[in-house]
Amino acid sequence: MKIIRWGLIMIGITSLFDAQQPTLLLKLELKNSLSISRNLQSVEIPYHKVKVLSGKNFSITEVSTKNEIPYQWLANGNLLIQEDFNTRETKKIEFYQTPSKSFASKVYGRFVPERLGDFAWENDKIAFRMYGKELEKVPEQNGWGMDAWAKRSNRMVINEWYKRNNYHQDNGDGLDFFQVGNTLGAGDILPFINENFVYLGNYMSYKIIEEGPLRFTFELSYSEVKKDGYEIMAVKRLSLDAGSQLNKSVVTYQFSGRKTLPVFAGIVHWNGKGEKTLDQDNHLAVYWPENSKSGIVGTAILFPNTDYPIVDKQKHLGSEINLKNKQPVVFYAGAVWNQPGEITSQKDWQKYLQEFSLKLKYPIQISKYKKQNPDQ
């Protein structure tokens, strides 16, 4: 009788132990095929590989360290994670049906009605903004392209800077001293007809698509404008990942009047002194200006998987492209400030960008792997 009772007790303890173990939903293997490390590497896992997770509350664990990995469902159904990889490292990750930690968002953005309709966004490295229709009523302040705000804080600062309204002065976490004016700024695009930029006006409306914690994505729509025999509308979709200096831009022009539309995507250099790099091998334009009292904001634009020539035109570095109606243009553009001390020279910036290009060309390889015996 005692043996039976002891057996029942052991069965009860085992059952309780099993009940406390989270259910393993999926295992994946992630491989860095490059001979360079990849810190805070964004990995977008296709939906068909993670559809078993749909509708479930889950967490992700890196097997060797037991660290929990932050994630974000994307609007296209894919799953975004970020992880560090050493040279040619392979990592195993496990998905458990258990509540995930609450991870602080490393991206943020919003419409700014209190500043003439700006749209501003940021991550833990840098901030950007585009100008709205209301600014057109103030011609002496109006700008065309993408503005870059220099940050030395990994906090989200947009709201604080707009509230104090003196973000042209450095209060310890950075400032706005990048000059945009009537240019493409830190990376934008415009029709380029008869060797001249054709300004279509600032954005008319916006739509926020993804709000973090790892990626912020939004769209800006531009109303139809009649110019040089064309009727042109545009939609720009921009994404910024945590830890990245560059935005991904997908721009689509809808037009009539002619069969093709010439456009120019690039960064301004103002004919200023500094180092201008036209990297044809990596389809990359880089500008590293001279030092100023506030430091240096380097800029760049990258065209992945293309053969567009990189050129210097109208005080800009970039590419001239002939588009068909509704043909999207994809490019990465952004900036870096030398003051935080991570990228402090043209050489550092060039290296970051070349590695960025390489990582786009050779993404992390994703595969399933079988559950192993714990004793193995």
Side-chain angles (χ1 to χ4, degrees), residues 42 80 82 107 123-124 214-216 239-244 246:
S42 291
L80 179 69
Q82 282 194 336
V107 292
N123 64 9
D124 50 334
L214 301 176
R215 175 176 294 171
F216 185 81
S239 298
L240 180 64
D241 285 4
S244 179
L246 304 182

Side-chain angles (χ1 to χ4, degrees), residues 145-146 180 182-190 197 264-268 316:
M146 186 165 68
V180 180
N182 296 332
T183 76
L184 299 179
D188 201 4
I189 187 170
L190 276 178
F197 290 112
F264 191 96
I267 53 175
V268 68
H316 287 77

Side-chain angles (χ1 to χ4, degrees), residues 9 38 54 149 153 160 181 183 189 231 250 263 299 319 324 352 356 365 368:
I9 291 170
R38 304 164 83 134
S54 183
W149 283 6
S153 171
E160 294 177 21
T183 76
I189 187 170
E231 295 181 2
V250 181
V263 300
T299 53
S319 284
K324 297 178 181 178
Y352 173 90
F356 192 99
Q365 299 170 16
K368 289 186 179 181

Side-chain angles (χ1 to χ4, degrees), residues 25 66 73 114 138 148 171 178 210 229 231 234 236 250 267 274 316 335 340 369:
L25 300 171
K66 304 302 180 185
W73 283 111
E114 67 269 31
V138 191
N171 289 294
F178 181 76
E210 293 158 345
E231 295 181 2
K236 300 175 182 177
V250 181
I267 53 175
H316 287 77
Y369 73 99

Side-chain angles (χ1 to χ4, degrees), residues 275-308:
E275 298 180 77
K276 306 177 187 74
T277 304
L278 284 66
D279 185 343
Q280 307 294 349
D281 292 336
N282 292 291
H283 314 294
L284 173 66
V286 187
Y287 182 47
W288 189 262
E290 282 190 317
N291 204 357
S292 72
K293 65 178 182 179
S294 298
I296 295 172
V297 171
T299 53
I301 189 166
L302 164 66
F303 301 89
N305 305 314
T306 68
D307 56 1
Y308 306 144

Side-chain angles (χ1 to χ4, degrees), residues 159-207:
N159 288 335
E160 294 177 21
W161 287 20
Y162 275 113
K163 186 175 181 179
R164 71 190 185 208
N165 200 29
N166 65 342
Y167 46 80
H168 294 291
Q169 297 178 8
D170 190 349
N171 289 294
D173 49 15
L175 74 161
D176 172 25
F177 71 99
F178 181 76
Q179 185 181 3
V180 180
N182 296 332
T183 76
L184 299 179
D188 201 4
I189 187 170
L190 276 178
F192 194 65
I193 302 171
N194 298 323
E195 294 294 307
N196 289 301
F197 290 112
V198 178
Y199 172 52
L200 301 180
N202 293 341
Y203 81 89
M204 175 62 73
S205 62
Y206 72 92
K207 179 182 179 181

Side-chain angles (χ1 to χ4, degrees), residues 71-73 105-108 210-217:
Y71 66 85
Q72 174 184 339
W73 283 111
S105 185
K106 295 182 178 181
V107 292
Y108 176 71
E210 293 158 345
E211 298 187 77
L214 301 176
R215 175 176 294 171
F216 185 81
T217 302

